[in-house]
Amino acid sequence: MAETMTGLKRTHYCGTLRPEHIGQEVVVCGWVQRQRDLGQLIFIDLRDRTGIVQLAFDEGTSRDIFQKAFAVRAEFVLLARGLVRERTSKNMEIPTGEIEVEVQELRVLAKAETPPFEVLEDSNVKEDTRLKYRYLDLRRPNLQRNIIARHKLVKIAHDYFDRHGFIEIETPDLIASTPEGARDYLVPSRVFPGSFFALPQSPQLYKQLLMLSGFDRYMQVARCFRDEDLRADRQPEFTQIDFEMSFVDQEDVMAIGEGFIQEAYREICGVEIPLPLPRLTWDEAMRRFGSDKPDLRFGLELTDVSGLLQGTGFKVFAGALAEGGSVRGICLKGEAEKLSRKEIDKLQEWIKAYGAKGLAWTRLAEKETSSYEKFLTQEESAAIRAAMGAEPGDVLFLVADGDNSVVFASLGALRCELARRFDLIDASRPCLLWVTDFPQFEYSKEEDRYVAMHHPFTAPRDEDLDKLESDPGHVYAKAYDMVANGYELGGGSIRINDPEVQERMFQALGFTPEQAQARFGFLLNAFRYGAPPHGGMAWGLERIMMVLLGVDNIRDVVAFPKVASSAEPMSGAPGRVDPKQLAELGIALLPGEENT
Ligand code: ASP
């Protein structure tokens, strides 16, 4: 039977003991990292969330304690009382490595079966197994550090926003479905069979209403839900650090936003981020880096060579230009000898995932080769080389497409891939910036209409207001994203506070007044009662953590994450429910779906 703690209390965490404690009696508790039986001597490494301390059992230890120590296995839960003493063989690799606890009393608080994997800092156990036994996985020090750093960030957020006069207000989790953006998670209503709540994708509408109510400055650490296919940096449920403020313009919001991120870097990484953060307009970010979340830790900027190819006889380039697209490229400096022809062929396949039909290249190795120069005049080839600053040893890559977004997406991705492969990223310094002046709309081929690039409540720039109906493709928004190391950390906008403009916006998005009223009626009505100018932004908490900690798997900053299918392997969610529960909700499964 397991022993209890009765009569004893923990005096110290394992990882906090130091030479200054030598001679003191301490009580430590934790899990057995490992037990080493050297015959006359037994050592146990005891672990808690602060680290590891060595428990020592030797000739001075009473027989029954020695025997107990002998029977201890990995992950047993122990309490040990004893004297801190100096170690004979010190381990300077760990903070407690100069001392050990000479155990005088040992209690086994819980036994443990042999775990499915060893609890180690870096484990190469398959992620499926780790997630199935997440509670064991979470004993690993690196995950504990991540989760504790996450707590710290939330605390910094609360303190920072409180200091700046923001009030945390919880907005509801069961709300009306207003699909615009990602897919909603739906929750059936029992009281109104056939009706559904949605889980919030963000607190957007509510935080705007709070501005209308006069709270002036709101913040929330808010859970959000988006039913999307997952990518490496997404989870279906995630946390936003969300804020909104009244009687402000874009500059005020951005100043509050960058102040927070500066504080987060300072407190968590000890890194001082100079403010104001650099800015790029969306147009410039796309033009130079092919991305609205450019990683500025390396160069490899894009060059537009379309102007040099007017009237070219090469069909691929001419065709792209005739369709209103462009030909752009990247010059990879000095790597021609290292990038084999075979690897270039592979890149040509790889880039198709981004919509590019092909990747044209020139390799300025000792023997110059090119996939496209034979189709151009000498002048055209020479002009392209000159424009791209090509020198011997370089490799030039070109993408041509009638759709500029394909050119940008593929070269933007190629840029990052080349930087990664050739180790061009200066990881020693974070690179933060704002991307501003986003287009208000993007055209959705799927829906055959304009959709909001940010969301439908974002205000257009004043100078673009009259283009809302006549030229929506050239309307830019008072919207801004904060980007770090190629990740979008967060974004926001100044909102529309004039109900008339809001109605025009819905119209531009293809809603009839009735449809707009049906979906967003409460907001439109509310705005008739005096909405102050307001704006805000939200960060993805997990995204910030990934960038702060340099982690590239979002699941490593979430205690109990979902896998790519949105399932949760440990508890088995989502799961079947009792037919009685379904009946109460007035829900019947389609034939054939009962047993899938
Ligand atoms: N609610 C927005 C989002 O989730 C952020 C904002 O505009 O404040 O992207």
Side-chain angles (χ1 to χ4, degrees):
M1 221 183 55
E3 294 168 282
T4 68
M5 293 183 64
T6 308
L8 284 178
K9 288 233 176 289
R10 172 168 62 190
T11 61
H12 293 81
Y13 280 99
C14 300
T16 62
L17 294 175
R18 295 287 180 274
E20 74 218 43
H21 297 106
I22 289 171
Q24 275 186 35
E25 185 181 275
V26 297
V27 177
V28 287
C29 302
W31 286 260
V32 173
Q33 180 70 36
R34 61 180 188 144
Q35 184 251 41
R36 275 167 301 148
D37 173 12
L38 309 178
Q40 309 291 33
L41 278 176
I42 295 176
F43 293 115
I44 292 174
D45 286 345
L46 195 67
R47 180 190 69 236
D48 65 20
R49 73 173 197 209
T50 63
I52 279 178
V53 71
Q54 175 165 293
L55 307 181
F57 307 80
D58 52 25
E59 62 281 6
T61 312
S62 78
R63 227 186 120 68
D64 58 324
I65 294 180
F66 199 86
Q67 264 167 2
K68 233 187 214 176
F70 178 75
V72 155
R73 295 287 165 266
E75 303 308 321
F76 275 29
V77 184
L78 303 183
L79 172 147
R81 181 180 60 76
L83 279 186
V84 179
R85 71 178 181 203
E86 191 175 354
R87 271 207 216 178
T88 13
S89 66
K90 299 195 171 42
N91 173 1
M92 298 316 273
E93 310 255 291
I94 59 169
T96 61
E98 289 174 80
I99 54 97
E100 63 190 6
V101 179
E102 173 191 347
V103 178
Q104 289 162 347
E105 184 174 353
L106 184 69
R107 297 187 191 176
V108 176
L109 301 178
K111 289 185 177 172
E113 287 178 20
T114 308
F117 51 85
E118 219 183 323
V119 175
L120 289 176
E121 169 93 29
D122 293 306
S123 137
N124 54 8
V125 181
K126 281 225 313 271
E127 204 185 13
D128 290 1
T129 315
R130 286 177 35 204
L131 291 176
K132 180 150 183 243
Y133 298 93
R134 186 60 161 178
Y135 41 87
L136 295 180
D137 197 28
L138 284 170
R139 286 184 189 170
R140 291 165 51 215
N142 45 341
L143 280 187
Q144 294 210 341
R145 273 198 301 274
N146 293 355
I147 300 300
I148 292 167
R150 180 181 168 131
H151 153 77
K152 211 167 154 190
L153 183 69
V154 170
K155 167 100 170 58
I156 293 166
H158 279 127
D159 292 348
Y160 175 84
F161 283 99
D162 179 62
R163 226 179 322 117
H164 287 86
F166 288 79
I167 297 163
E168 180 157 33
I169 303 175
E170 286 168 288
T171 52
D173 277 346
L174 294 175
I175 65 173
S177 175
T178 50
E180 177 71 13
R183 206 177 287 117
D184 279 335
Y185 273 101
L186 297 178
V187 180
S189 155
R190 178 181 57 79
V191 181
F192 301 97
S195 289
F196 294 83
F197 293 104
L199 300 179
Q201 295 188 25
S202 83
Q204 188 62 34
L205 296 184
Y206 288 94
K207 68 172 176 171
Q208 290 194 236
L209 292 173
L210 288 169
M211 295 303 101
L212 199 130
S213 304
F215 281 96
D216 196 68
R217 290 184 168 209
Y218 139 99
M219 75 84 66
Q220 186 180 191
V221 178
R223 296 294 285 166
C224 302
F225 306 84
R226 294 183 191 176
D227 188 3
E228 290 176 303
D229 295 328
L230 301 197
R231 293 198 234 123
D233 61 349
R234 291 238 170 110
Q235 281 279 300
E237 55 174 314
F238 59 99
T239 303
Q240 281 191 343
I241 298 179
D242 188 38
F243 75 90
E244 194 76 10
M245 49 204 299
S246 293
F247 304 107
V248 291
D249 62 19
Q250 182 163 332
E251 293 302 322
D252 303 307
V253 180
M254 290 165 83
I256 288 287
E258 58 188 27
F260 167 64
I261 219 69
Q262 182 186 53
E263 201 154 304
Y265 264 98
R266 185 185 299 139
E267 299 295 320
I268 293 181
C269 306
V271 169
E272 197 60 30
I273 303 286
L275 296 185
L277 295 181
R279 296 181 187 190
L280 286 177
T281 64
W282 183 88
D283 275 343
E284 190 182 352
M286 297 307 281
R287 190 160 33 79
R288 290 177 54 195
F289 305 101
S291 168
D292 58 5
K293 39 178 189 293
D295 191 339
L296 301 190
R297 292 172 302 169
F298 57 92
L300 291 178
E301 292 196 21
L302 277 52
T303 309
D304 186 356
V305 294
S306 314
L308 310 172
L309 292 164
Q310 301 301 322
T312 180
F314 181 31
K315 277 210 199 98
V316 174
F317 291 174
L321 297 178
E323 285 171 39
S326 56
V327 185
R328 292 168 204 257
I330 290 178
C331 173
L332 175 66
K333 302 284 326 154
E335 306 286 1
E337 300 298 342
K338 279 200 225 132
L339 193 66
S340 69
R341 177 63 206 272
K342 219 161 123 205
E343 279 174 296
I344 296 184
D345 289 346
K346 277 200 207 140
L347 282 175
Q348 285 183 307
E349 272 311 301
W350 170 89
I351 207 160
K352 289 186 180 153
Y354 299 90
K357 291 181 202 78
L359 180 65
W361 53 270
T362 295
R363 195 161 153 254
L364 300 175
E366 205 155 84
K367 184 171 166 295
E368 294 188 357
T369 43
S370 172
S371 73
Y372 61 85
E373 288 193 342
K374 55 182 176 282
F375 303 113
L376 301 182
T377 64
Q378 257 187 6
E379 292 72 37
E380 285 169 340
S381 297
I384 291 178
R385 287 191 186 196
M388 295 179 72
E391 292 167 317
D394 297 352
V395 187
L396 307 183
F397 294 101
L398 296 180
V399 171
D401 204 281
D403 181 350
N404 277 326
S405 63
V406 168
V407 180
F408 289 137
S410 45
L411 284 177
L414 179 67
R415 187 180 163 260
C416 297
E417 177 63 20
L418 293 175
R420 198 183 53 74
R421 275 200 204 181
F422 291 97
D423 214 7
L424 305 178
I425 301 175
D426 174 6
S428 69
R429 63 185 181 108
C431 217
L432 283 97
L433 73 147
W434 290 105
V435 176
T436 64
D437 298 73
F438 277 69
Q440 183 82 38
F441 305 104
E442 60 190 331
Y443 196 75
S444 159
K445 285 187 200 139
E446 223 170 86
E447 297 187 39
D448 190 24
R449 66 171 178 108
Y450 278 106
V451 294
M453 199 160 204
H454 190 50
H455 52 57
F457 317 107
T458 293
R461 290 193 313 200
D462 301 335
E463 61 269 37
D464 296 338
L465 209 52
D466 52 1
K467 286 189 249 164
L468 216 47
E469 290 80 15
S470 57
D471 189 11
H474 288 100
V475 175
Y476 288 86
K478 293 181 188 170
Y480 32 82
D481 272 2
M482 188 186 278
V483 175
N485 302 348
Y487 282 100
E488 178 201 328
L489 289 189
S493 61
I494 295 298
R495 325 298 183 186
I496 298 168
N497 74 317
D498 176 345
E500 245 172 67
V501 176
Q502 189 64 66
E503 276 174 39
R504 282 173 62 197
M505 183 59 67
F506 284 133
Q507 246 164 34
L509 290 168
F511 294 111
T512 62
E514 294 71 36
Q515 283 169 332
Q517 193 62 35
R519 282 197 194 183
F520 303 106
F522 66 103
L523 187 81
L524 288 171
N525 292 343
F527 273 29
R528 295 212 300 263
Y529 295 98
H534 62 290
M537 72 175 284
W539 292 271
L541 171 61
E542 290 83 3
R543 296 267 183 93
I544 305 185
M545 289 316 305
M546 287 170 74
V547 172
L548 284 178
L549 301 175
V551 165
D552 42 39
N553 180 350
I554 193 169
R555 294 182 289 278
D556 285 349
V557 298
V558 179
F560 297 102
K562 306 274 189 287
V563 294
S565 61
S566 292
E568 201 266 89
M570 187 187 64
S571 68
R576 293 273 151 187
V577 296
D578 197 300
K580 220 176 102 210
Q581 286 173 284
L582 288 182
E584 265 176 357
L585 296 166
I587 288 180
L589 299 181
L590 289 174
E593 294 206 343
E594 297 98 330
N595 301 313
T596 51

